[in-house]
Amino acid sequence: MLLFLIVFYFFAVLSLCEEFAKVNKGFLKITLFITMIILVVLTSIRGGETADYEHYRVHFDYIISTEKLFVSSNFVYEPLWCILIWCVKKIWNNYQFFVFVIGFISMFLQYKAAKILSDLSDNCQTNNCKKTKTHLFTFFLISWGLYNCNIFVIRNTIAILLCLCSIKYIQEKKPVRFVVFVLLATGFHYSALCFILAYWLYHYKGQLSKKMLWLIFGTIAGCALIKPMLSVISRLGLGSISTKLGAYLESAGNYLAGTGFSQTSAMFSIAKTLINIAVVVVMGVYIYRYYKDNEKYKGYLNLYLFGCIVYVASMTIGRAFARISIYFNYFQIPMALFFVSKKKNRWISWSICVLYVLLRMIINLREVEFIPFWIN
C-alpha cells in the first residue's frame, strides 16, 4: 500500500500546483514526461498474480509458431492481441519484455486520452471554469486513485484506452474515424464493441429529468432483460464470444465467479459499488446547473449514467462480466475535473475530490497487490 500512497501524494502535489499555482509550463512538461516514465516502469516490473499476470504468461508461451503469423493455434484470444504477442516474440521471446511493450502502449494511449478528457476549454463557460488551466495531473491523480493508472495491463486495458481516445471524434462528429478506433479496440477485446453506442449517447440532448428517468427505468429493464438477451447472443454461433457468454450465464448468480476473491467479499463489494455510483451521480446532478450549456459535460454525464445502468444490470451475471461497464464509467474522471474546475469554492471542491479519491483507493487496495517480477 505504501507504494500506491507515495504515488498518490506525488500526483496530489502536482495537481495542486497545476490547479492553483503559477507554474512554468516547461517545468510541467518535463514533470509530465518523468511521470509517464515512472508509470511505464511500474507497469513493466510488475509480477504476481494480479490482473492475470501468470495467466497471460501461459498464453504468451503458448504461441510457439513465430515463423508464420496466421496459424490457428496463435489465435486463442482477440486477433490484435495475438498479433502483438507474435510481433514481440519475433523481436525478443521474453515475457517481461512483452509486459514492457504493452505497458508502453497503454501509457502512451493513456496520455493521449488524458489530453483529450482533461481539456475542458473548448466549450467551457467563462463564468464557471478557468480557460487557461490544464488538468492533466488532476486527471492522473484521479485515475491513479480509481484505476491505478492502468499499470496492471490486460487485454481490455488497451481496448478501453483506445475507446477513450475515440471520444475526440465523437466531439468532432467524425463517425467514420470513431468507428475505426472502436474496431481497433475490439481487436484487443471484443467487449469494446459495446462502445459503439457512445456516439449516440454522447449527443443525446434530453433534459436532466429525462436522463434520471432513463437511469431508473433503464436499470430496471436492464436487470430484467440482460440474461435473456445474453442467452440469445450466446446461441448465435459467434465462436469464442458465444462460448464466453455461455460461461458467464452458467455462473450467473455467483457474483464473484471468475474474480479469485472469496465469497465473503461479495456483499461488501456490491455495497461499495452502489455507494460509489450514488456519490458520483449526486455530484453529477449537483454541478449540472453550472454546465447545463456545456456539450462536453452533458456528453460525459450521458456516458457515465449509461455505465451505471450497464454495471447494475450486469451485476446480476457476476462481477467479472460487470467490468464491461468500465468503458462508460471511466467518464466519471472528466466529470470530476468539471467539479474541481468550477470557479466557486475551487479549493473546497479540489479537497473534497482528493479526499474522496484517496478513500476509494484505500478501499480498493484490499483487492490489489504489486509484486515485482524478480520476487514472483
Side-chain angles (χ1 to χ4, degrees):
M1 179 179 290
L2 180 60
L3 171 65
F4 291 92
L5 290 174
I6 290 173
V7 176
F8 180 87
Y9 294 137
F10 171 71
F11 280 134
V13 171
L14 293 176
S15 171
L16 187 65
C17 295
E18 178 183 59
E19 297 291 340
F20 300 102
K22 294 182 179 180
V23 182
N24 184 276
K25 289 186 177 181
F27 172 77
L28 288 178
K29 287 182 179 179
I30 293 174
T31 307
L32 180 62
F33 178 73
I34 295 173
T35 298
M36 299 312 298
I37 292 177
I38 292 172
L39 291 177
V40 171
V41 169
L42 289 175
T43 301
S44 304
I45 67 173
R46 68 184 176 89
E49 299 178 354
T50 302
D52 295 324
Y53 178 86
E54 286 296 333
H55 179 74
Y56 282 114
R57 183 202 291 272
V58 172
H59 181 238
F60 179 85
D61 294 334
Y62 181 77
I63 296 182
I64 57 176
S65 177
T66 56
E67 297 302 320
K68 295 182 179 180
L69 172 58
F70 294 103
V71 177
S72 59
S73 61
N74 282 347
F75 290 87
V76 177
Y77 287 129
E78 289 79 0
L80 290 184
W81 177 263
C82 295
I83 291 172
L84 179 59
I85 294 178
W86 184 85
C87 292
V88 170
K89 295 189 81 164
K90 292 289 285 186
I91 299 171
W92 187 15
N93 190 355
N94 180 278
Y95 180 65
Q96 209 61 41
F97 175 65
F98 174 70
V99 173
F100 164 76
V101 171
I102 60 175
F104 181 84
I105 293 172
S106 297
M107 292 309 112
F108 174 77
L109 291 174
Q110 185 162 235
Y111 167 72
K112 300 296 289 186
K115 285 193 67 175
I116 295 168
L117 297 177
S118 64
D119 177 15
L120 312 181
S121 62
D122 288 346
N123 298 310
C124 186
Q125 299 180 71
T126 305
N127 294 330
N128 290 330
C129 58
K130 302 257 185 183
K131 285 190 175 183
T132 58
K133 291 289 185 182
T134 60
H135 307 278
L136 273 172
F137 288 113
T138 308
F139 179 96
F140 283 115
L141 169 66
I142 301 172
S143 180
W144 180 260
L146 302 185
Y147 303 112
N148 307 125
C149 278
N150 298 296
I151 63 171
F152 300 110
V153 181
I154 53 178
R155 295 171 3 250
N156 77 330
T157 304
I158 298 176
I160 291 166
L161 293 172
L162 280 168
C163 289
L164 294 179
C165 290
S166 74
I167 200 72
K168 173 183 178 181
Y169 301 115
I170 298 180
Q171 295 167 344
E172 296 175 354
K173 296 185 177 180
K174 297 179 179 178
V176 175
R177 294 185 182 183
F178 165 70
V179 170
V180 168
F181 262 75
V182 173
L183 291 178
L184 283 174
T186 304
F188 285 97
H189 205 283
Y190 293 133
S191 62
L193 194 59
C194 70
F195 198 72
I196 205 77
L197 298 172
Y199 196 90
W200 174 82
L201 292 167
Y202 183 91
H203 294 294
Y204 175 66
K205 303 296 184 183
Q207 296 295 319
L208 181 61
S209 57
K210 289 185 178 180
K211 294 178 181 180
M212 292 299 104
L213 287 175
W214 273 109
L215 176 62
I216 296 171
F217 290 108
T219 301
I220 296 172
C223 291
L225 298 176
I226 189 168
K227 289 182 181 180
M229 182 178 66
L230 292 181
S231 179
V232 170
I233 297 175
S234 67
R235 297 172 184 172
L236 294 179
L238 300 177
S240 60
I241 297 178
S242 296
T243 302
K244 191 70 172 178
L245 290 178
Y248 281 129
L249 287 170
E250 287 181 6
S251 62
N254 182 5
Y255 175 67
L256 293 178
T259 65
F261 301 128
S262 63
Q263 192 65 36
T264 56
S265 302
M267 293 306 297
F268 174 79
S269 180
I270 293 173
K272 177 194 70 174
T273 300
L274 294 178
I275 292 172
N276 290 338
I277 289 175
V279 169
V280 177
V281 170
V282 169
M283 180 271 292
V285 172
Y286 167 72
I287 62 174
Y288 185 85
R289 56 178 177 168
Y290 294 100
Y291 302 107
K292 60 183 178 181
D293 297 320
N294 188 299
E295 296 302 321
K296 283 186 176 179
Y297 179 75
K298 291 191 293 184
Y300 296 149
L301 178 62
N302 292 348
L303 294 172
Y304 179 74
L305 292 178
F306 182 75
C308 294
I309 295 174
V310 172
Y311 191 91
V312 175
S314 57
M315 279 200 307
T316 61
I317 304 297
R319 173 171 172 158
F321 182 72
R323 289 179 295 189
I324 193 174
S325 65
I326 195 173
Y327 290 95
F328 302 95
N329 289 341
Y330 219 103
F331 291 96
Q332 65 185 293
I333 297 182
M335 286 172 59
L337 295 181
F338 275 103
F339 176 71
V340 170
S341 301
K342 66 186 183 67
K343 189 174 182 180
K344 187 177 181 181
N345 299 323
R346 292 188 68 234
W347 270 102
I348 297 176
S349 299
W350 183 86
S351 300
I352 291 173
C353 181
V354 171
L355 291 174
Y356 173 69
V357 172
L358 176 60
L359 177 62
R360 283 189 60 174
M361 185 188 75
I362 292 174
I363 294 174
N364 290 338
L365 286 178
R366 289 162 47 103
E367 303 169 356
V368 174
E369 62 175 342
F370 186 93
I371 302 175
F373 74 89
W374 56 81
I375 60 174
N376 180 34

